[in-house]
Amino acid sequence: MNTPNASRVSVQSVKTHRDARGSLFEPLTDAELANQKNVHVVLTQPNEVRGNHVHRTAVETTSVVGPCLIRLKEDGTIRDLEVPVGETWRLTIPPGVVHAFRNTGDSMMVLVSFSTNLHDPAGTDTLREQIL
């Protein structure tokens, strides 16, 4: 995983338990969970994209199970991250960073996202910006 030092986005591999039944991971620690106000699970079809937005004030913490192409736009600079098949990565995305996720596999992709803001049906914290 290659993340430039200048980035404000934290990227880390998530410890995952795997056996014949499948995989299990905890996307947040107990302490991190206490700071969240929203959680959503996103199932994405092959070659489809989720995200393509930026938050004004919310910090979003997203775990994604690869394969996945993650595109980030931070301070006008775009960078791509490739999550390998079967790996689970966690990103902590601060306000102001545009983010998008493309399922590069041939089956359903799973994202689990937490936000420090309550869900706002009017979308006043979320601005659409297509980067992927």
Side-chain angles (χ1 to χ4, degrees), residues 3 24 29 46 91 93 100 110:
T3 53
L24 178 141
T29 66
L91 291 85
I93 306 167
V110 177

Side-chain angles (χ1 to χ4, degrees), residues 4 6-9 72-79 94-98:
S7 177
R8 295 177 291 132
V9 177
L72 303 168
K73 181 179 174 188
E74 186 174 5
D75 300 325
T77 301
I78 291 182
R79 70 181 169 126
V97 177
V98 185

Side-chain angles (χ1 to χ4, degrees), residues 18-45:
R18 293 176 179 84
D19 62 24
R21 298 169 294 170
S23 300
L24 178 141
F25 65 91
E26 294 183 3
L28 296 177
T29 66
D30 297 347
E32 292 166 331
L33 187 58
N35 295 321
Q36 305 306 309
K37 298 208 165 72
N38 175 270
V39 61
H40 51 282
V41 176
V42 181
L43 305 175
T44 306
Q45 295 290 344

Side-chain angles (χ1 to χ4, degrees), residues 50-62:
R50 294 293 183 149
N52 275 322
H53 63 252
V54 61
H55 300 285
R56 294 178 194 201
T57 63
V59 174
E60 186 170 319
T61 302
T62 298

Side-chain angles (χ1 to χ4, degrees), residues 56 120-127:
R56 294 178 194 201
D120 175 10
T124 58
D125 184 63
T126 304
L127 302 171

